[in-house]
Amino acid sequence: ITLKLLISWNKRQKDIQEISRQKLEAELKMLRSQIQPHFLFNSLNSIYALSMKKSDDTPDMIIKLSGILDYLLYECDAENVLLEKEIEVIKNYIELQQVRFGDKLKMNFDAQGDTSNLKIAPMLFLPLVENSFKHGVDRKKENAWVNIRLKMFPDGLEFKISNSNQEIKK
C-alpha cells in the first residue's frame, strides 16, 4: 500500500508540474498576442503617415517592421533566442517610434558589453520597451524622452528603462 501511495503521489507531482508549465506557456502566448496587435497598429499608422508625405524613409520603415514581425511570428516560439537578435529588434522598434513621434521624442539606447552568443527568453525586453513608449511618450505633448541601457556583466545583465512619465503618487 505504501509503494502504491508513493507511486500515486509521484505521478500527481509530475502532473502538477506539467500543468504549471502549460499555464506559463499559455500566459506567455497571451502576452505575445496582446503586444503584437497594438504594436502593429501603431507602426502601420506611422508608415502610412510617411507614405502620405511621400517620404524616402517609407521603404526602410517597411523593412524594419517586416523584420520585427518575422521575429515575433517565427523566432519567438523557440525557448531561447540570441540576445543580439532581441537587441536588433529593439533598435528597429525604436527607429519606428522615432519616426512616429519625430522631434517630440528624445531617445537614448546604450548597450554595453559583449552580447555575442548569449541567449535569453524571447520577448523578454521588447514588452518593456513598448510600455516605455506607451506610458512615457504617448501621453506627453512635448519633451518626451526614453532612456534604455543594457549592460553586460560576467554573471548576468542589467536592463534599465526610464521615461519622461512623471511618477504617480500612491
Side-chain angles (χ1 to χ4, degrees):
I1 292 174
T2 304
L3 183 58
K4 190 171 184 173
L5 286 174
L6 184 60
I7 291 171
S8 176
W9 179 83
N10 191 21
K11 183 182 179 325
R12 186 172 298 159
Q13 289 301 103
K14 286 181 182 180
D15 290 344
I16 290 171
Q17 286 178 345
E18 178 62 19
I19 290 169
S20 178
R21 185 190 64 75
Q22 288 175 355
K23 179 182 177 220
L24 285 173
E25 281 182 21
E27 288 173 353
L28 182 59
K29 286 180 182 179
M30 186 178 80
L31 176 63
R32 287 180 186 155
S33 70
Q34 288 174 347
I35 292 168
Q36 292 174 22
H38 179 261
F39 160 73
L40 183 59
F41 176 77
N42 288 334
S43 297
L44 287 173
N45 278 337
S46 299
I47 293 171
Y48 174 74
L50 284 176
S51 71
M52 293 303 290
K53 295 178 189 175
K54 303 211 183 310
S55 172
D56 292 338
D57 293 332
T58 305
D60 188 44
M61 293 298 110
I62 291 171
I63 290 296
K64 289 187 184 318
L65 177 59
S66 175
I68 293 170
L69 290 175
D70 179 69
Y71 177 75
L72 292 173
L73 293 172
Y74 300 113
E75 296 183 42
C76 285
D77 286 336
E79 188 174 324
N80 291 303
V81 296
L82 287 172
L83 177 56
E84 289 175 329
K85 184 64 179 176
E86 183 100 354
I87 291 171
E88 177 187 331
V89 169
I90 289 170
K91 286 179 179 178
N92 286 341
Y93 180 85
I94 288 169
E95 286 187 47
L96 285 169
Q97 295 304 315
Q98 285 180 311
V99 167
R100 177 178 172 210
F101 293 109
D103 293 337
K104 173 183 168 182
L105 172 66
K106 194 173 198 180
M107 180 67 226
N108 182 36
F109 178 75
D110 183 32
Q112 301 173 0
D114 183 19
T115 60
S116 59
N117 298 321
L118 295 175
K119 291 191 172 190
I120 60 168
M123 297 274 296
L124 188 61
F125 301 125
L126 190 58
L128 300 171
V129 173
E130 183 179 22
N131 280 337
S132 72
F133 284 93
K134 180 179 177 184
H135 299 290
V137 180
D138 278 349
R139 297 178 181 185
K140 300 269 300 179
K141 300 264 188 262
E142 56 186 32
N143 298 325
W145 54 267
V146 175
N147 292 322
I148 302 172
R149 185 180 73 191
L150 174 67
K151 189 172 182 181
M152 301 302 304
F153 297 99
D155 59 344
L157 62 87
E158 176 184 86
F159 189 74
K160 182 177 180 180
I161 299 178
S162 56
N163 63 26
S164 52
N165 190 15
Q166 292 181 1
E167 188 175 321
I168 299 171
K169 295 181 181 179
K170 292 183 180 178

